[in-house]
Amino acid sequence: MRKNRISECLVKTFDYGLKEILGETAASIVYEYLETNLSIKKEEIPEKIEDFRRGLKNFLNTGAFVVEKMVLEKLYGSYGLKFEEKEQYDFEDYLNELRRKIATNKIQRKK
């Protein structure tokens, strides 16, 4: 159940991040690209995170890093945690770390 909450939060946070950075129209174009070219629907992002990231990088190039960082900051913040960059960590490492912190500390998502 906790993994589903993180997945749901991740989808909402990615959506928010894309729309905040790119705008509503451009975010829709990104989603259309991902669905058409990689068969990834918005709600499938958590299950296909590696493919999603690859598609995001193909579409946005270096801009994908900005979106990922913003999403991580918002995602961590939604659990009352501060996002801190670490050497040799990638997006999945940060997600796994967040899952561990939530499981270990019984952290609840802020509304």
Side-chain angles (χ1 to χ4, degrees):
M1 179 182 268
R2 195 168 279 162
K3 187 174 181 179
N4 288 341
R5 286 188 188 152
I6 293 174
S7 294
E8 188 177 302
C9 186
L10 183 61
V11 170
K12 288 179 182 177
T13 307
F14 259 121
D15 191 48
Y16 174 82
L18 280 175
K19 289 176 181 174
E20 176 137 321
I21 292 170
L22 304 174
E24 189 85 32
T25 303
S28 295
I29 293 168
V30 170
Y31 287 128
E32 186 176 322
Y33 169 83
L34 293 169
E35 189 166 346
T36 303
N37 295 292
L38 300 171
S39 300
I40 300 172
K41 294 180 182 178
K42 181 172 31 174
E43 52 278 349
E44 296 175 327
I45 291 171
E47 292 82 37
K48 299 180 178 181
I49 196 73
E50 288 180 34
D51 294 333
F52 171 77
R53 289 185 65 224
R54 193 173 315 113
L56 199 61
K57 284 181 182 176
N58 287 342
F59 193 80
L60 298 176
N61 202 346
T62 57
F65 174 75
V66 174
V67 172
E68 287 179 354
K69 184 177 176 186
M70 180 183 201
V71 165
L72 288 168
E73 288 172 352
K74 298 262 184 220
L75 191 59
Y76 270 66
S78 72
Y79 286 94
L81 301 170
K82 184 177 180 344
F83 170 72
E84 296 177 14
E85 291 186 63
K86 298 179 181 179
E87 283 189 43
Q88 299 184 4
Y89 256 50
D90 66 11
F91 191 81
E92 288 89 351
D93 293 326
Y94 290 114
L95 288 180
N96 290 332
E97 177 183 69
L98 180 60
R99 286 183 180 114
R100 280 192 305 276
K101 286 181 178 186
I102 291 168
T104 304
N105 298 321
K106 309 268 190 277
I107 297 170
Q108 296 293 315
R109 183 169 182 260
K110 293 180 175 183
K111 300 290 179 193

